[in-house]
């Protein structure tokens, strides 16, 4: 299988591999998109569930406190004053202190109870009457309705605020007498009993945290390690105003494993996107390349059709003249026969080019190597070109080095390469009127060169001049027909012999095409 065949097969395999890779990458992205959507949907459901759960827990805690305080506030009697300690136990109100005040906001006899020691209780009673009572605005409260006040005691100058207090109070009426009942809710009951009861951490897949109005954690673990998890917040409104319940999902997995999974997912997604972008870009390039080749093939078909039509028309015309005897003398008949022979040789050479190129395109082996004298091969090519050179009114000068070694080559293919180089010079460099062919040994290689003195080739086109179907822009503007496969065949033949075809050209000073092949067995 020749290099062109392998190249074509490799190109097809590469395109198929890229298509498969792009499809695989697209499937991977679709899978990750589905996974992300499912995960996002699951997370939204979890957030909604946590929001409902937080709402329920805050409502339950505040309802317990509100119900117990309401029951206590409504059960207090003025004549005589109820036994506050017994009433507290009976109603289940978690009160640290209780105050019963008359319509003048004075403590009624027996209207104070506290869980503090006598000394601390007296001190707090004084503090309440002086500092807290004015804040309650009891005279403005509606009759028989529980109200509450959350406040934080002022700390020493320059220091943060002190401890917090929660008061529940109600305006009551006994007969025609108005009185007021105030409960100081026990903070230890709220934080030490209710919160642990409602926010049990063990056997739960969620974490609960309560922060006060200053942002300090009152209950629950810190969420520092849970920064990647969503957090739901619900405020307390009936008791400790400004406090917030925060709920988040407990990380039940291995954090290191999750980080590794995130890293792998990022790499796979990035790789899939890279494959898709690269694959689509390459496929786009391949499509443009194939489109360009199709355009060149169309031009090639048009050119070959013209190239075939011209010698056929000449052969037909002069053959008809000879057949009908329309000749003045034997010399004219001989001239017509020579034209027919020359055009038939030209036609045969063009057909050989097309057939050889078609074989190369299909990847068929077209070379038969044998030991040959390169000088004799070159002489044969020169002899076959003499009539065409003379018809173009050009001269061909050959400089073949003596004592060239025998080389392994396909004589017919190499002759075709030399003929194509000479024809190329005749067709595109006829203005120079001269062609110089040289063959010389350069180390372990033999170099064949064909030089012309034509218009030359632009530097940016020199690398593409050996591409199939390619014709230089300057040539396309001239009425010179060509198939665009002659130099491509030359390059293929040179590479099949282990060598390379090159061109050196300066615009306005002509061009030198060369074939360099190694001495030895290339098969």
């Amino acid at each position: 299988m020749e290099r062109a065949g392998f190249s074509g097969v490799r190109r097809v395999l590469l395109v198929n591999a890229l298509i498969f890779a792009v499809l695989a990458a697209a499937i991977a992205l679709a899978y990750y998109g589905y996974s992300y959507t499912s995960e996002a949907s699951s997370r939204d459901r979890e957030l909604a569930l946590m929001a409902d759960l937080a709402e329920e827990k805050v409502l339950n805690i505040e309802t317990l406190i509100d119900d117990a305080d309401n029951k206590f506030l409504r059960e207090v009697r003025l004549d005589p004053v109820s036994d506050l300690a017994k009433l507290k136990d009976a109603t289940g109100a978690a009160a640290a202190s209780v105050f019963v005040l008359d319509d003048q906001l004075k403590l009624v006899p027996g209207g104070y109870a506290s869980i503090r020691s006598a000394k601390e209780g007296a001190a707090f009673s004084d503090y309440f009457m002086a500092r807290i009572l004015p804040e309650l605005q009891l005279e403005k409260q509606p009759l028989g309705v529980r109200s509450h006040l959350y406040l934080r005691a002022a700390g020493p100058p320059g220091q943060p605020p002190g401890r917090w207090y929660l008061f529940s109070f109600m305006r009551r009426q006994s007969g025609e007498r108005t009185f007021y009942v105030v409960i100081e809710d026990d903070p230890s009951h709220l934080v030490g009993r209710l919160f642990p009861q409602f926010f049990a951490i063990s056997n739960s897949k969620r974490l609960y945290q309560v922060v006060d109005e200053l942002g300090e954690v009152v209950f629950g673990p810190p969420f520092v390690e849970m920064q990647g998890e969503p957090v739901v917040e619900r405020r307390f409104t009936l008791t400790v105003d400004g406090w917030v319940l925060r709920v988040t999902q407990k990380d039940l997995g291995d954090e290191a494993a999750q980080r590794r999974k995130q890293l792998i997912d990022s790499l796979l997604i990035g790789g899939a996107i890279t494959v898709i972008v690269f694959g689509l870009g390459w496929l786009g390039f391949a499509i443009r390349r194939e489109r360009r080749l199709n355009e060149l093939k169309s031009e090639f078909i048009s050119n070959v059709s013209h190239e075939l039509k011209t010698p056929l028309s000449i052969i037909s015309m002069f053959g008809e003249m000879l057949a009908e005897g329309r000749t003045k003398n034997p010399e004219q008949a001989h001239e017509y026969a020579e034209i027919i022979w020359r055009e038939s040789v030209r036609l045969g050479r063009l057909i050989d080019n097309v057939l050889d190129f078609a074989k190369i395109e299909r990847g068929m082996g077209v070379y038969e190597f044998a030991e040959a004298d390169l000088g004799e091969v070159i002489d044969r090519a020169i002899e076959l070109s003499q009539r065409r050179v003379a018809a173009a009114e050009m001269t061909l000068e050959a400089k073949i080095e003596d004592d060239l070694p025998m080389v392994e080559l396909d004589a017919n293919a190499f002759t075709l390469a030399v003929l194509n180089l000479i024809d190329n010079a005749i067709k595109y460099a006829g203005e120079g009127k001269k062609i110089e062919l040289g063959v010389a040994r350069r180390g372990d290689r033999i170099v064949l060169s064909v030089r012309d003195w034509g218009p030359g080739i632009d530097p940016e086109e020199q690398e593409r001049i050996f591409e199939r179907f390619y014709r230089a822009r300057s040539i396309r503007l001239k009425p010179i027909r060509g198939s665009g496969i002659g130099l491509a065949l030359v390059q293929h033949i040179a590479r099949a012999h282990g060598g390379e075809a090159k061109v050196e050209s300066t615009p306005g000073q002509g061009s030198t095409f060369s074939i360099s092949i190694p001495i030895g067995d290339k098969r």
Side-chain angles (χ1 to χ4, degrees), residues 4 8 24 109 196 212 280 320 333 339 343 440 478:
D212 61 19
L280 292 178
E320 182 182 356
I339 292 174
E343 292 301 322
K478 297 180 179 180

Side-chain angles (χ1 to χ4, degrees), residues 21-71:
V22 169
L23 289 177
I27 292 172
L29 283 182
Y31 167 75
Y32 278 110
Y34 172 77
S35 300
Y36 176 79
T37 303
S38 299
E39 183 178 345
S41 177
S42 176
R43 177 166 292 195
D44 290 341
R45 290 194 300 270
E46 181 63 27
L47 282 174
L49 179 61
M50 287 195 299
D52 292 341
L53 190 61
E55 188 76 33
E56 179 185 356
K57 287 185 177 295
V58 169
L59 181 61
N60 287 341
I61 291 173
E62 294 198 310
T63 299
L64 278 177
I65 297 174
D66 182 68
D67 289 347
D69 287 357
N70 254 311
K71 187 175 182 181

Side-chain angles (χ1 to χ4, degrees), residues 373 375 379 398-406 438-441 446:
D373 185 338
D379 288 337
K399 296 180 180 179
I400 302 176
E401 189 175 285
D402 297 331
D403 300 327
L404 291 175
M406 301 291 288
V439 182
R441 179 169 182 169
I446 293 180

Side-chain angles (χ1 to χ4, degrees), residues 153-168:
Q159 297 297 319
R163 62 156 291 178
W164 58 270
Y165 297 95
L166 174 62
F167 295 94
S168 295

